[in-house]
Amino acid sequence: MAESDKAVAVSSTGNRLLTAEDFRRLSDVPPEIEWFANLTNPQTRRAYQNAVEDFMRFAGIQRPEEFRDVARAHVIAWRDDLGNRVLNGTTIRHRLSALSSLFDYLCDRNAVTHNPVKGVKRPKVDSGEGRTPALGDHQARELLYAPEGDTLKNKRDRAILATLLYHALRRDELCKLKVKDFKHERRGVPHLKVSGKGGKTRYVPLHPAASALVHDYLELAGHAADENGALFRPVSHNTKDNGGKSITADGVYKIVRTYSAQLGFEIGAHSLRATAATNALDHQADIAKVQEWLGHANISTTRIYDHRKTRPEDSPTFKVSY
């Protein structure tokens, strides 16, 4: 190895850095590959990968640089093909958004002159209001008490359900919680430190009811001192021996699904987020504050969770009197 190569490969402290070969190789990475590598959220990566791979199959693209020959007509033809496959409007819009994100990146890198997805008419969809069902207050209470008994699993599940219902967290946000994130204080008030979408961090005041249940769980689980480990863990590996690994998002989904099914209303974990938001709004919480609480970039997204307009008891039906 030449002296210049050695200078690149090893720092003054002896720690290995990039070799000259690696440096040259990374310099030649196509921007199309850079764009995908820059997606950090696993769900976003999976959804965008599926969308772009679908477009590549449709257009016959085999090499990254072939994206630079894509015209608006190709995108329109793909959109129409998606519609012919009887995909719903929301799915088609999401796939077009994924492709548009790629071309926005290519534009920023001067790899293409324009984004061919812009100007392509997207299918209309409804507002989404009511798509994620919110529980009634009595149902939420029943769900909170559904895990009966003092086993580790029951204590953990009660703590998870309470954390979701009192703080409107996403599944991924709950899974990312570390023990130390449960121990924050701001102005003397306990807070959760939540790692949200897009790498954004927010601090959510900790509800006393949830706090008590999490403390009960940690006391029995025995990992309260493992501050850098996951707060909620698989029951079979609820110690430092598992490296402090978290319960999975799928595991959280199954917990909510199982207990709600036992109570006669089978729902997913996202419904608890809708329930918390609706309950807060029902009790006069300011919608701008709820937007911040949920970690939404746009208040129009928050309005999707506002189910107050759909309450049957407020229908004009019950105002009619003969």
Side-chain angles (χ1 to χ4, degrees):
M1 183 184 290
E3 289 301 320
S4 59
D5 288 351
K6 291 179 181 177
V8 174
V10 181
S11 72
S12 59
T13 59
N15 294 325
R16 184 175 178 83
L17 304 177
L18 288 176
T19 64
E21 181 183 352
D22 287 339
F23 185 86
R24 286 191 293 270
R25 178 176 54 80
L26 290 173
S27 297
D28 294 332
V29 171
E32 294 83 357
I33 305 299
E34 281 182 4
W35 166 79
F36 183 73
N38 208 28
L39 300 173
T40 56
N41 183 280
Q43 281 70 36
T44 301
R45 283 175 65 91
R46 184 165 57 249
Y48 278 26
Q49 181 178 1
N50 290 340
V52 172
E53 287 180 349
D54 187 270
F55 178 75
M56 290 174 67
R57 284 191 296 270
F58 174 79
I61 292 175
Q62 296 181 344
R63 300 186 307 277
E65 57 269 22
E66 291 183 75
F67 279 104
R68 302 170 203 190
D69 297 324
V70 172
R72 185 174 295 167
H74 298 123
V75 181
I76 292 173
W78 180 52
R79 177 205 63 193
D80 293 344
D81 180 69
L82 293 173
N84 290 335
R85 292 187 235 162
V86 201
L87 298 178
N88 63 45
T90 299
T91 299
I92 295 174
R93 289 176 70 92
H94 285 170
R95 294 198 178 183
L96 288 169
S97 294
L99 190 62
S100 183
S101 173
L102 168 60
F103 278 105
D104 278 342
Y105 187 84
L106 296 181
C107 286
D108 289 342
R109 292 295 311 275
N110 295 318
V112 297
T113 58
H114 67 287
N115 182 344
V117 185
K118 288 187 176 178
V120 173
K121 189 173 181 181
R122 305 186 185 192
K124 293 182 179 180
V125 295
D126 58 39
S127 66
E129 188 173 326
R131 188 176 297 153
T132 302
L135 298 178
D137 290 356
H138 67 289
Q139 292 173 312
R141 283 193 295 271
E142 288 176 355
L143 188 60
L144 278 170
Y145 294 113
E148 296 180 336
D150 292 327
T151 65
L152 178 59
K153 182 181 185 306
N154 288 333
K155 283 181 177 285
R156 183 205 61 182
D157 291 354
R158 276 197 297 271
I160 286 175
L161 292 170
T163 302
L164 292 172
L165 277 167
Y166 283 113
H167 307 99
L169 301 188
R170 302 176 178 95
R171 283 187 295 166
D172 285 346
E173 292 172 344
L174 181 132
C175 293
K176 289 178 184 176
L177 288 175
K178 297 183 181 300
V179 173
K180 63 183 179 182
D181 296 333
F182 170 68
K183 299 179 178 180
H184 277 268
E185 274 202 13
R186 307 191 81 177
R187 296 186 178 182
V189 177
H191 278 65
L192 283 174
K193 181 182 178 183
V194 180
S195 298
K197 278 187 174 181
K200 295 179 180 177
T201 299
R202 66 185 189 277
Y203 292 87
V204 177
L206 183 61
H207 195 285
S211 177
L213 290 171
V214 174
H215 275 296
D216 285 348
Y217 160 60
L218 285 176
E219 184 177 357
L220 184 58
H223 64 273
D226 185 15
E227 297 204 339
N228 289 315
L231 178 60
F232 297 111
R233 307 182 182 188
V235 170
S236 56
H237 301 289
N238 216 116
T239 67
K240 286 186 179 180
D241 295 338
N242 81 327
K245 292 180 182 178
S246 170
I247 187 173
T248 64
D250 185 57
V252 175
Y253 174 83
K254 288 176 179 176
I255 287 171
V256 176
R257 198 76 169 172
T258 298
Y259 289 114
S260 61
Q262 291 173 3
L263 295 169
F265 47 89
E266 197 172 38
I267 57 169
H270 206 71
S271 287
L272 304 193
R273 184 166 160 85
T275 299
T278 302
N279 188 279
L281 290 165
D282 277 344
H283 291 90
Q284 287 74 53
D286 182 86
I287 193 167
K289 292 289 186 183
V290 174
Q291 175 194 353
E292 180 182 350
W293 187 55
L294 293 170
H296 286 158
N298 195 310
I299 199 167
S300 62
T301 309
T302 309
R303 291 196 178 98
I304 294 174
Y305 295 83
D306 186 357
H307 294 259
R308 289 175 294 177
K309 295 179 183 178
T310 63
R311 293 189 301 185
E313 61 268 30
D314 291 336
S315 168
T317 296
F318 301 109
K319 308 300 180 185
V320 176
S321 178
Y322 296 107

